[in-house]
Amino acid sequence: MEAAPDRDHVVTVAAQPPAEREWHMQQMLKGSNVGLAALTEAAGPVTVALRWSDPSGTGEADVAALLAAASGKVRGDEDFVFYNQPATPDGSVQLLGKSPTAGGSEDRILLDLAALPLEVERVVVTASRYAGATFGALSDLGLTLYDSSGAALLGFDIGDAAAETAFVFGELYRRGDTWKFRAVG
């Protein structure tokens, strides 16, 4: 027989103000994924920055974003964002352009995930090289995702590129009402 709880004994706990959450950039491994809500409370667009350096000093890559529906396919030409079409018609995805860095180049893409049409379930972040150049010839190949405040949320370093001339860095995908990031590489 179990003892009856002591109803006369009451413990009062003073409510403590919630501690300010400390955010740290998460390092991703190939194939891993994470929900963006677990990384930030900031609302608004995110920015994906792709980076690389070329020891020869001559290498470049063209960054693109592909907006895919549930079928895994783009719905039409408007779902390709690249140098010749730097934004979707609604402005939800925009190429912000290349910037030189201390060690190479960085190319940024702004993604307003809340503004994407509901039919878009995935945004694939890619890059391609030309004239026979490969991603294996580049060093410091990687991706960083920033929230709308400019805080770095996650980083993904890619060290195993080889003979690829086109490369999927990662993808943002809709899971229910939330967005996640998958490190592809």
Side-chain angles (χ1 to χ4, degrees):
M1 186 186 251
E2 291 183 37
D6 182 1
R7 296 185 198 279
D8 295 327
H9 184 72
V10 177
V11 176
T12 304
V13 177
Q16 299 291 322
E20 179 127 346
R21 185 163 179 189
E22 208 171 304
W23 302 98
H24 298 283
M25 184 169 86
Q26 179 170 335
Q27 285 298 321
M28 304 289 290
L29 299 174
K30 187 180 218 175
S32 63
N33 60 48
V34 65
L36 299 186
L39 302 176
T40 184
E41 293 174 346
V46 296
T47 301
V48 176
L50 305 180
R51 71 174 187 287
W52 60 85
S53 61
D54 183 356
S56 73
T58 62
E60 268 311 325
D62 289 327
V63 171
L66 311 172
L67 285 62
S71 66
K73 298 177 181 180
V74 297
R75 300 168 301 156
D77 289 346
E78 68 277 2
D79 287 344
F80 290 99
V81 179
F82 64 109
Y83 66 90
N84 211 25
Q85 181 171 283
T88 55
D90 64 4
S92 59
V93 179
Q94 302 172 31
L95 294 184
L96 300 179
K98 286 181 179 43
S99 300
T101 65
S105 293
E106 180 177 80
D107 212 334
R108 291 180 172 240
I109 305 169
L110 180 75
L111 300 123
D112 188 347
L113 300 172
L116 284 170
L118 290 176
E119 303 85 43
V120 174
E121 291 193 3
R122 184 174 313 268
V123 179
V124 183
V125 178
T126 70
S128 60
R129 302 210 58 208
Y130 37 86
T134 66
F135 281 94
L138 301 177
S139 58
D140 191 32
L141 189 59
L143 172 150
T144 305
L145 181 74
Y146 298 91
D147 69 11
S148 60
S149 74
L153 302 179
L154 62 86
F156 175 41
D157 296 327
I158 302 166
D160 61 350
E164 300 91 350
T165 57
F167 211 83
V168 175
F169 281 72
E171 59 186 14
L172 292 115
Y173 62 98
R174 198 185 303 258
R175 184 71 63 198
D177 291 340
T178 64
W179 283 92
K180 292 186 165 195
F181 174 80
R182 177 176 295 119
V184 177

